[in-house]
Amino acid sequence: MSLYFDAVNILTEPASGGSFKSRIYSARDLRAKPAQIYALIIEAAKWDTVLADVIDRSGLLDAERKLSPLLALLLVHDHLIAKNGIAAPAAHTIRQAVERHKVRLRAEFVKARVRRGCASVEQFKAAILREKREAAGPNDFIYPRWVRVNNIRSSLEDQMRTTFASYRHVDSLAELAPEGDDRKSQHLLYVDPNIPDLVAVPYGADFTSSTAYKNGEIILQDKASCFPAYLLLGDRGPKDPWQGDLVDGCAAPGNKTTHMASLLAKQQIKDQKPQKQIICMDASRVRSKTLQKMVSMAGADPTVTVLQGQDFLALDPMDERFEKVTGLLLDPSCSGSGIIGRDDVPQLTLPKPAASKAPNPKGQGKKRKRPDEKEEVEVQQSQAKPTALNTSPSDENDIPSGAVDQERLIKLSNLQARIVEHALSFPTATHVSYSTCSIHLIENEAVVERVLASDIAKEGGWRLLRRDEQPSGLRKWKHRGVREDRKSENDTDDVTPATVDLSDEDLEACLRCWSGDAEGLGGFFVAGFVRDPKLVSNTKAPTSRKKSKKEPKEEPKKEPSKRQKVVAQEEEEVKDEDDDDDWDGFSD
């Protein structure tokens, strides 16, 4: 029963920052697996309106006072819809509380299906999703499911013949919202025009049980999250003399890393061993394990080296490991203000609570709690104590998205600029991509402006990758950088809209995504920094060697200045903390 009580806790505890998924995966003291909790809540949210109606009509809550509306909704979902029913022993009190009413619950569920003219549960589900879409109104876009083909293990052509063989191709994202109720109407496919080997399918599509998903042939990854790797590697071929090794500085859980590996696999000659190497890292050792698992499942081990527990800012650019590095991908900690859609906490429609409980008849004592009710009582009491949460700031498209004040935005912006400037200091680097899932200008165009004005950028000859130099698919992307900030509904009153003094050409070089439009994405930003290969330093990374006795002794370290202490403190406040994420396959 811990699965249901954990889910209730997650949904009822006060928001403490972080996207919905990250809140679950970083919550402490969970007894059920985070993946199971997340799946239960997401699936129940698809059926909530029907389940609430079924529970109300069956009178379940009036008869079973121990059940809260939310707990009842989750239990009835698994009782009616889950393949294996309620995940609890048959003798458990709470399971029995639902199953005592199974005849009435099943009857009301069937009636609800018949009223919609649906012959199967799949048709019923499609009808409910359509009702939700219509109820949401024209301004609330239901986001599609994005699927990237992994070229290490497969190809788009192979997947079209297998995984998507029964899918009908459509010409726009809007067509992924079908009007029909039959199951085939859900088998629609849109091939993305901007990112190679990326497709979109209707909201609610589930591939987790498919062979392609389990084998790492397809990866579930948001379209916007595919921009950085494609911008970095783009249409350059394997013979490009300035395409060397790559570094992903903020890599966990690994979608962008494996996307780079997929792009390299597509570029290399068939049956040829990979020539380019990808070095990726994450400051958290726990998250690094997840990163390693994803790399392995994607078949990218021959290409990718994972530096577990490595902080990117602590790397020495002159280290011999990086002497061939020409490209760096950076997706650092950010406010996550662009995250929307399915990563938000689902707003469940709940059944009506039971009528006020009448006092016990005279002479009737209070019922003693049976041993198997102890768990329920303990969990209900713990709801008053919010679970301690850790967020994972380098998580791809899954980082803190709560209200952010100006002070935190400034700290994040400072760290982001330091990370980019550090990347520009790699002696052989010629290409760097910088991205965030934030809509705030201070974390995006303002960071770009700050980096371009830095001494290291000027001395190294760095500039922005112009729109006409970008990969063909991204050149067509119409949403570009902005000069003035937009106000977000997540902003607190003390968040001051910012402006930048970038040229029109520089703004055109920046790519933006905005939530709520017809593109089916959340808020996202990416920009590429480049420099003429002729300006690359001729200094080679030193080889490892023992210290000579004649070498001067190291001078004692100086006490850091007040400014250095402040910067160090800001970095510590926004860096990752280790968490206990369970591996849940490929996810965006």
Side-chain angles (χ1 to χ4, degrees):
M1 289 303 296
S2 58
L3 169 63
Y4 306 99
F5 293 128
D6 282 344
V8 169
N9 274 349
I10 288 291
L11 288 168
T12 56
E13 68 187 4
S16 56
S19 68
F20 174 56
K21 191 172 184 180
S22 70
R23 283 176 56 191
I24 296 176
Y25 275 76
S26 59
R28 302 300 183 186
D29 303 323
L30 294 178
R31 284 170 286 183
K33 291 184 177 181
Q36 292 178 320
I37 298 170
Y38 181 74
L40 170 62
I41 295 173
I42 293 300
E43 288 304 311
K46 296 173 184 177
W47 292 92
D48 61 342
T49 53
V50 169
L51 295 175
D53 183 56
V54 166
I55 292 171
D56 286 340
R57 291 173 181 267
S58 69
L60 175 65
L61 292 180
D62 286 328
E64 304 293 343
R65 299 302 182 91
K66 62 173 63 66
L67 298 177
S68 68
L70 180 53
L71 180 60
L73 185 86
L74 299 174
L75 289 165
V76 171
H77 170 272
D78 277 10
H79 173 66
L80 294 175
I81 299 166
K83 182 178 180 180
N84 296 319
I86 296 174
H92 197 288
T93 304
I94 303 301
R95 175 171 172 172
Q96 290 181 342
V98 173
E99 293 185 344
R100 274 195 291 270
H101 307 270
K102 62 182 181 181
V103 175
R104 186 67 187 274
L105 289 169
R106 177 63 60 181
E108 293 297 341
F109 186 72
V110 171
K111 289 178 184 178
R113 177 171 59 81
V114 172
R115 283 196 297 271
R116 291 166 174 80
C118 301
S120 68
V121 173
E122 286 294 331
Q123 292 178 8
F124 194 10
K125 184 177 182 180
I128 295 167
L129 289 175
R130 189 178 66 254
E131 289 175 6
K132 285 177 171 287
R133 184 175 65 252
E134 293 171 350
N139 295 325
D140 290 336
F141 190 87
I142 294 182
Y143 294 84
R145 169 85 278 177
W146 293 98
V147 183
R148 175 171 63 80
V149 176
N150 177 18
N151 287 292
I152 302 172
R153 296 198 182 277
S154 185
S155 67
L156 182 61
E157 293 73 22
D158 288 342
Q159 291 304 306
M160 290 302 176
R161 290 193 297 267
T162 55
T163 306
F164 303 112
S166 62
Y167 282 65
R168 177 170 63 87
H169 289 240
V170 296
D171 297 323
S172 68
L173 287 174
E175 295 178 74
L176 293 181
E179 295 300 324
D181 290 337
D182 61 288
R183 186 174 182 177
K184 290 183 179 180
S185 69
Q186 294 300 302
H187 282 206
L188 302 174
L189 182 86
Y190 174 71
V191 178
D192 188 74
N194 303 110
I195 304 294
D197 309 308
L198 183 72
V199 300
V201 295
Y203 170 83
D206 183 14
F207 292 96
T208 55
S209 60
S210 69
T211 301
Y213 179 87
K214 293 178 179 178
N215 292 342
E217 296 170 5
I218 59 174
I219 293 176
L220 308 182
Q221 182 175 356
D222 282 343
K223 175 178 176 176
S225 180
C226 297
F227 278 29
Y230 185 43
L231 183 68
L232 186 67
L233 292 175
D235 302 321
R236 292 186 291 160
K239 295 183 180 181
D240 187 328
W242 291 102
Q243 182 172 308
D245 292 344
L246 304 166
V247 167
D248 188 345
C250 315
N255 281 334
K256 296 179 181 67
T257 302
T258 57
H259 190 197
M260 286 195 291
S262 177
L263 290 168
L264 289 180
K266 191 172 183 178
Q267 291 175 357
Q268 72 187 38
I269 300 172
K270 189 176 181 181
D271 298 328
Q272 184 185 59
K273 292 184 178 180
Q275 301 297 313
K276 312 297 188 298
Q277 292 296 311
I278 301 171
I279 303 170
C280 64
M281 65 210 68
D282 194 273
S284 162
R285 288 192 176 275
V286 175
R287 288 170 55 76
S288 294
K289 292 179 181 178
T290 299
L291 172 61
Q292 183 64 69
K293 288 179 182 178
M294 187 167 193
V295 167
S296 299
M297 290 294 290
D301 283 319
T303 304
V304 178
T305 299
V306 179
L307 305 181
Q308 298 196 15
Q310 175 65 59
D311 183 351
F312 175 70
L313 283 174
L315 291 180
D316 178 6
M318 300 301 292
D319 190 303
E320 62 180 348
R321 293 175 296 177
F322 312 122
E323 63 183 354
K324 295 181 180 179
V325 168
T326 60
L328 296 96
L329 186 149
L330 308 168
D331 189 59
S333 166
C334 77
S335 65
S337 52
I339 298 174
I340 42 75
R342 57 192 161 70
D343 274 332
D344 285 342
V345 179
Q347 301 299 312
L348 298 175
T349 299
L350 299 177
K352 297 175 184 177
S356 299
K357 190 173 181 179
N360 289 332
K362 187 176 182 180
Q364 182 177 338
K366 291 183 178 180
K367 181 182 177 182
R368 289 190 176 185
K369 300 180 184 67
R370 290 187 289 192
D372 53 1
E373 293 179 26
K374 182 179 180 181
E375 179 184 24
E376 175 200 358
V377 174
E378 290 176 349
V379 174
Q380 288 175 342
Q381 291 174 345
S382 71
Q383 289 179 12
K385 301 176 181 178
T387 304
L389 295 176
N390 272 334
T391 55
S392 303
S394 67
D395 197 1
E396 298 179 357
N397 253 9
D398 199 16
I399 50 184
S401 58
V404 179
D405 59 24
Q406 188 72 20
E407 183 181 359
R408 178 159 177 77
L409 286 176
I410 292 173
K411 290 178 180 179
L412 287 165
S413 179
N414 289 340
L415 177 60
Q416 292 152 1
R418 277 180 53 79
I419 287 174
V420 180
E421 290 173 16
H422 188 60
L424 301 189
S425 68
F426 280 68
T428 55
T430 59
H431 293 72
V432 171
S433 74
Y434 167 68
S435 60
T436 74
C437 46
S438 169
I439 64 170
H440 296 300
L441 185 141
I442 191 174
E443 298 180 89
N444 299 324
E445 289 88 353
V447 169
V448 168
E449 181 182 43
R450 178 174 171 178
V451 169
L452 290 175
S454 68
D455 290 339
I456 193 166
K458 291 179 179 179
E459 293 170 4
W462 289 94
R463 61 174 176 82
L464 287 180
L465 181 69
R466 297 190 304 270
R467 182 170 184 170
D468 62 350
E469 299 173 312
Q470 293 171 4
S472 57
L474 294 181
R475 284 200 297 271
K476 296 182 289 185
W477 186 254
K478 62 182 180 180
H479 302 292
R480 296 285 154 170
V482 296
R483 198 178 302 280
E484 187 174 350
D485 220 341
R486 294 185 184 182
K487 188 72 174 177
S488 166
E489 62 181 11
N490 287 332
D491 293 345
T492 55
D493 293 336
D494 59 347
V495 174
T496 305
T499 59
V500 293
D501 189 25
L502 291 172
S503 68
D504 291 342
E505 183 179 68
D506 284 343
L507 290 177
E508 278 291 297
C510 301
L511 296 99
R512 280 272 195 170
C513 302
W514 300 98
S515 60
D517 62 15
E519 302 291 352
L521 305 174
F524 201 83
F525 174 88
V526 61
F529 296 86
V530 295
R531 62 171 168 171
D532 189 330
K534 296 178 182 178
L535 299 176
V536 172
S537 170
N538 292 323
T539 304
K540 292 185 178 180
T543 56
S544 301
R545 57 191 177 91
K546 295 182 180 180
K547 277 191 174 183
S548 170
K549 293 182 179 179
K550 295 182 180 180
E551 290 180 349
K553 295 181 180 180
E554 294 183 359
E555 295 183 5
K557 293 183 179 180
K558 296 181 180 179
E559 181 71 18
S561 66
K562 184 177 180 181
R563 173 59 186 162
Q564 289 173 326
K565 289 181 179 179
V566 171
V567 171
Q569 183 178 357
E570 289 179 351
E571 290 175 6
E572 287 302 319
E573 289 179 1
V574 294
K575 279 182 182 178
D576 290 356
E577 296 179 8
D578 286 3
D579 53 28
D580 298 321
D581 288 3
D582 285 339
W583 173 244
D584 185 30
F586 298 94
S587 181
D588 48 7

